[in-house]
Amino acid sequence: MVTVTNAPKIVTSRLDDPEGHTLERYLATGGYQGLRDALAKKPNDVIEEVKSASLLGRGGAGFPAGVKWGFCPPGVFPRYLVVNGDESEPGTYKDRLLMERDPHQLIEGVLIACYAVGCSQAFLYVRGEMALAQERIAQALNDAYAAGYVGKNICGTDFSVDVVLHWGAGAYIVGEETALIESLEGNRGMPRLKPPFFPAAKGLYLQPTIVNNVETLSNLPWIMRNGGAGFAALGAENSKGTRIFAVSGHVNQPGVYEVEFGVTTFRDLLYAPEYGGGIRDGKQLKAFIPGGASAPWLYPEHLDVPLEAATVGKLGTMLGSGAVVVFDEDTDMVKACLRLVRFFARESCGKCTPCREGTSWLEKILQRILDGHGRPEDLNLLLDVCDNISVGMAWPPTQTTICPLGQSATSPIASAVMRFKDEFEAYLGGPVELEVEIKGAAFVGPFEAATTEVSTGV
Amino acid sequence: MARFNEQNLATALEIVSRYPVAKSATIPLLHLAQEQDGHVTDDAMEHIAELVGTTPAQVLGTCSFYEMFKREPVGTYLVNICTNISCQIMGGEELLHHAEHSLGIKAGSTTSDGMFTIEDVECIAACTEAPCLQVNYRYFHKITTTEFDDLITDLRAGKRKDEIPPHGTLARTRQHIPADRGAGPADPTGVPEPTWLARNATGEEQGS
Ligand SMILES: Cc1cc2nc3c(=O)[nH]c(=O)nc-3n(C[C@H](O)[C@H](O)[C@H](O)COP(=O)(O)O)c2cc1C
Ligand code: SF4
Ligand code: FES
């Protein structure tokens, strides 16, 4: 039942080393060799190598990194690289570890990407609340500058690029790439409309800009050292390599685990002694979130689904940020829904009416239900509001807002109302007839997908 | 008072010089202002506007969007308790209520001695260590109510000062780009293709 592979640790090899963040230890464990290997190639060949690895972005949307790099319009300079280290998705806990415990691996990845794409400057946007990550990155950058790995004439070549540490200041929405760019320009972090502002074409200062996640870039040194084919030999058909999953909630061993895509299943991740170790106090599993608070949840019948983007996508949800939150049988789903919705309501940037108004109405209605003042019509009202934020609640969602934050709030509610209607009715004091039709695959059941293609746009 | 002092002005100018467009330094400078005064004052925002070439209203617009910038003084210790989903189901809300009860204040307010401010915050990226909190943005994992009380007692007694720097001073280490090693900010208007790309495009293997 439990498959634990001996796939190499690609991004987490130094995570348990208390000195892993120092330049000395990094160099002693193969550090900056991937950069040297990249510098020995032509930039285009580096892009091809990363394309052959089929490295998917680890920030949520899962877009192939090499392909994205190729989208910069030819001949337009300067180009910028922006590292998305704003990690704030509830349940997610991996980028912070990578930044705190292996900052050089990230910096090396940044340099490889800059070299390949032709970027003249990179900005490492680190979430404001992460004091230790900032300290460690600042120190690592200072050391790397002094040792000639960053800055002018890197490793004695004519490749020069500055890597600048930039701080966030507390706003979840800034994780969205165009909002991140607005924030980096000194503005409120409000998403831009895509199109026309696809960052690769018009990003920072309206110049071509590549936005990549911390984990995505941290994979690059290994890929350069071992080749794209070596990376692509690991994992599943459509999801290559390994992936970090953070397992939290009601499991015996909450933790951060690097596993091979497609081989490991949710059952392994939740129950294997090497990973989650089972539901605590011997309880039954009620539900789990497979990829951060924005991902519609899954249920016990989905446990044998492999951790692989396309398969999970067919269930109407996503691996998103790699955060698996586990709920046992005693969880009050109404309360959990309220907490999730409150998050989205608080963090809505306010630019689009359906998101700004919708999320706060959802919060108010759920609060009323929990306080015991709910009305029988509230259940249909909840679904109706959801339907107005995300029309038909189909998957992938219909776009009614500038970014996907608004619709993220609707899926946990719609799913919970369908599945745990009795829990809501208990608060409402009696049975309720549902009148709103839900189309989303996640609410239908295993493998009965409404859509086959995954395109989350997150 | 509250424009940048001489030393911070030097730091501010160094930060501004790293960006191709000065306005990008707005958030780092707001952090610096908070480090100097404990919160962001009107004067500081005016000074930042001068330094980055924008208006005080724009700086205020940015400042007010972000959770971490405080427009009023907060306690010596800012205690942020996470009640988001992973923490909630592991007891984060109970921890928050305990904190409110034992400090005698509601989330969002400060004890009368000015020592502690508590906040009910969204996920702080330590979900596998739930329930968790931050004191001046330093993490405390898997916190029980007893451990919370011990922590407060320690802080009241002036212990753990090394571990937890004052509010505002986020990172004790700053980035320095040595003058002889810096590549320099790339002006967004009309910078030519970088030499290493040109070299490789016209290199001997061209057309292969
Ligand atoms: C509301 C919202 C929040 C997001 N938060 C993050 C985040 O915290 N970290 C991250 O890397 N990507 C986040 N993303 C995804 C980014 O927009 C973007 O897709 C990603 O940084 C691209 O990097 P990748 O291709 O390497 O994955 C978020 C997206 C949305 C819509
Ligand atoms: S969906 Fe919400 S968070 Fe996204 S741009 Fe619109 S208002 Fe802002
Ligand atoms: S939910 Fe509390 S730290 Fe993530």
Side-chain angles (χ1 to χ4, degrees):
Chain A
M1 173 191 85
V2 167
T3 346
V4 179
T5 66
N6 29 12
K9 285 188 168 183
I10 293 184
V11 277
T12 60
S13 65
R14 270 170 292 262
L15 245 48
D16 297 327
D17 181 347
E19 293 300 311
H21 60 279
T22 60
L23 179 61
E24 200 181 8
R25 185 60 61 92
Y26 189 64
L27 289 174
T29 50
Y32 290 108
Q33 186 53 46
L35 173 64
R36 289 181 197 278
D37 293 349
L39 291 178
K41 295 179 198 265
K42 292 201 290 184
N44 260 337
D45 295 342
V46 177
I47 298 189
E48 288 309 316
E49 193 75 56
V50 175
K51 274 191 192 159
S52 75
S54 306
L55 170 64
L56 301 183
R58 307 298 201 226
F63 198 80
V67 177
K68 190 197 268 185
W69 295 358
F71 286 162
C72 290
V76 184
F77 295 92
R79 297 171 178 175
Y80 301 101
L81 177 77
V82 177
V83 184
N84 192 341
D86 193 65
E87 182 169 67
S88 330
E89 177 86 7
T92 314
Y93 175 35
K94 64 183 179 75
D95 296 343
R96 179 164 77 80
L97 280 188
L98 290 173
M99 293 189 284
E100 285 177 0
R101 304 203 185 162
D102 207 346
H104 284 287
Q105 177 174 261
L106 172 62
I107 294 168
E108 187 178 353
V110 168
L111 295 169
I112 294 168
C114 283
Y115 177 72
V117 180
C119 296
S120 355
Q121 204 166 15
F123 296 95
L124 248 158
Y125 194 113
V126 181
R127 181 174 171 185
E129 287 94 334
M130 299 176 175
L132 183 59
Q134 290 157 10
E135 283 174 26
R136 290 270 169 89
I137 288 179
Q139 188 59 51
L141 281 171
N142 290 345
D143 294 346
Y145 262 106
Y149 292 108
V150 185
K152 214 191 272 181
N153 300 117
I154 292 168
C155 297
T157 66
D158 58 358
F159 169 53
S160 303
V161 60
D162 276 326
V163 181
V164 173
L165 170 63
H166 185 92
W167 300 348
Y172 165 70
I173 189 58
V174 166
E176 197 279 334
E177 54 186 4
T178 56
L180 190 86
I181 288 170
E182 280 289 326
S183 180
L184 189 50
E185 290 184 1
N187 303 323
R188 299 179 148 230
M190 291 175 150
R192 296 173 176 174
L193 210 52
K194 294 193 280 191
F197 297 113
F198 287 110
K202 283 193 185 308
L204 187 61
Y205 318 124
L206 300 185
Q207 292 296 120
T209 303
I210 296 296
V211 182
N212 270 143
N213 168 262
V214 167
E215 187 189 345
T216 313
L217 293 163
S218 296
N219 274 292
L220 295 177
W222 193 95
I223 292 177
M224 282 300 125
R225 283 201 313 273
N226 299 278
F231 189 85
L234 297 165
E237 175 78 27
N238 297 311
S239 317
K240 302 297 186 191
T242 62
R243 176 83 204 255
I244 309 182
F245 286 92
V247 185
S248 63
H250 295 145
V251 283
N252 283 318
Q253 291 154 200
V256 178
Y257 306 106
E258 180 173 356
V259 306
E260 187 175 353
F261 265 127
V263 181
T264 317
T265 63
F266 283 112
R267 190 184 298 281
D268 300 335
L269 199 61
L270 268 48
Y271 288 92
E274 293 84 348
Y275 305 135
I279 310 300
R280 62 169 198 177
D281 304 332
K283 298 262 180 192
Q284 294 296 311
L285 171 71
K286 188 172 197 175
F288 60 98
I289 295 176
S294 299
W297 36 38
L298 292 175
Y299 302 106
E301 65 264 29
H302 302 112
L303 275 174
D304 291 311
V305 172
L307 296 166
E308 195 261 322
T311 318
V312 175
K314 283 182 195 161
L315 297 172
T317 183
M318 59 184 179
L319 290 178
S321 60
V324 182
V325 187
V326 181
F327 302 87
D328 73 12
E329 56 190 308
D330 296 339
T331 313
D332 181 332
M333 297 307 272
V334 185
K335 257 192 185 164
C337 279
L338 171 65
R339 188 60 190 90
L340 285 169
V341 165
R342 196 164 95 211
F343 167 73
F344 292 111
R346 272 188 180 185
E347 298 297 325
S348 167
C349 82
K351 211 172 180 179
C352 330
T353 315
C355 169
R356 182 186 61 240
E357 298 295 321
T359 52
S360 68
W361 275 110
L362 290 175
E363 182 189 348
K364 287 189 186 109
I365 300 164
L366 277 167
Q367 185 73 60
R368 175 165 75 203
I369 293 175
L370 262 168
D371 290 346
H373 304 303
R375 309 162 308 175
E377 58 268 39
D378 278 349
L379 229 46
N380 281 307
L381 184 58
L382 277 176
L383 293 179
D384 189 41
V385 175
C386 287
D387 196 32
N388 275 288
I389 304 176
S390 179
V391 181
M393 281 171 284
W395 187 270
T398 325
Q399 186 110 5
T400 61
T401 51
I402 295 172
C403 89
L405 185 142
Q407 29 193 288
S408 301
T410 66
S411 51
I413 300 190
S415 185
V417 168
M418 301 302 288
R419 176 112 181 178
F420 305 104
K421 190 159 148 262
D422 53 328
E423 288 192 27
F424 286 82
E425 287 171 339
Y427 278 103
L428 293 170
V432 178
E433 201 69 42
L434 291 184
E435 285 149 15
V436 181
E437 194 193 342
I438 309 270
K439 298 197 187 81
F443 322 123
V444 182
F447 300 106
E448 289 180 49
T451 49
T452 43
E453 274 309 300
V454 210
S455 139
T456 64
V458 182
Chain B
M1 191 203 85
R3 289 171 68 87
F4 285 121
N5 60 33
E6 204 175 318
Q7 191 193 343
N8 283 335
L9 180 59
T11 308
L13 291 173
E14 190 191 329
I15 293 174
V16 171
S17 75
R18 283 181 206 146
Y19 296 91
V21 174
K23 193 168 171 229
S24 281
T26 305
I27 291 175
L29 295 195
L30 283 164
H31 277 298
L32 189 65
Q34 189 147 288
E35 180 173 329
Q36 177 177 294
D37 303 321
H39 64 287
V40 182
T41 65
D42 290 347
D43 285 352
M45 285 189 285
E46 255 176 53
H47 198 177
I48 292 172
E50 284 168 28
L51 291 169
V52 305
T54 181
T55 62
Q58 286 213 353
V59 177
L60 172 61
T62 299
C63 175
S64 58
F65 185 79
Y66 298 93
E67 208 119 319
M68 290 174 72
F69 297 132
K70 310 295 178 196
R71 300 276 286 112
E72 303 288 332
V74 293
T76 314
Y77 297 105
L78 178 65
V79 183
N80 288 350
I81 300 174
C82 175
T83 59
N84 210 308
I85 193 73
S86 301
C87 290
Q88 181 204 33
I89 63 174
M90 298 300 284
E93 284 178 345
E94 289 74 17
L95 182 63
L96 178 70
H97 294 151
H98 173 83
E100 289 182 329
H101 186 76
S102 75
L103 291 173
I105 50 172
K106 281 279 168 205
S109 50
T110 306
T111 51
S112 53
D113 59 2
M115 279 288 269
F116 301 100
T117 299
I118 44 176
E119 287 185 344
D120 165 10
V121 297
E122 299 300 347
C123 178
I124 48 179
C127 324
T128 66
E129 314 299 326
C132 54
L133 56 85
Q134 288 187 312
V135 179
N136 290 351
Y137 303 109
R138 269 72 188 177
Y139 284 96
F140 292 85
H141 292 153
K142 291 187 179 153
I143 284 276
T144 63
T145 47
T146 329
E147 283 165 350
F148 178 84
D149 290 339
D150 293 347
L151 176 63
I152 295 296
T153 312
D154 277 2
L155 294 174
R156 275 230 161 87
K159 292 185 195 160
R160 298 189 181 234
K161 277 216 164 98
D162 298 340
E163 207 180 325
I164 306 169
H167 170 67
T169 51
L170 264 180
R172 279 170 287 188
T173 335
R174 288 196 201 284
Q175 183 185 0
H176 292 293
I177 301 183
D180 60 329
R181 295 259 344 117
D187 180 350
T189 51
V191 165
E193 193 166 307
T195 49
W196 76 88
L197 273 188
R199 174 200 62 179
N200 284 286
T202 56
E204 68 290 351
E205 282 178 64
Q206 197 192 15
S208 63

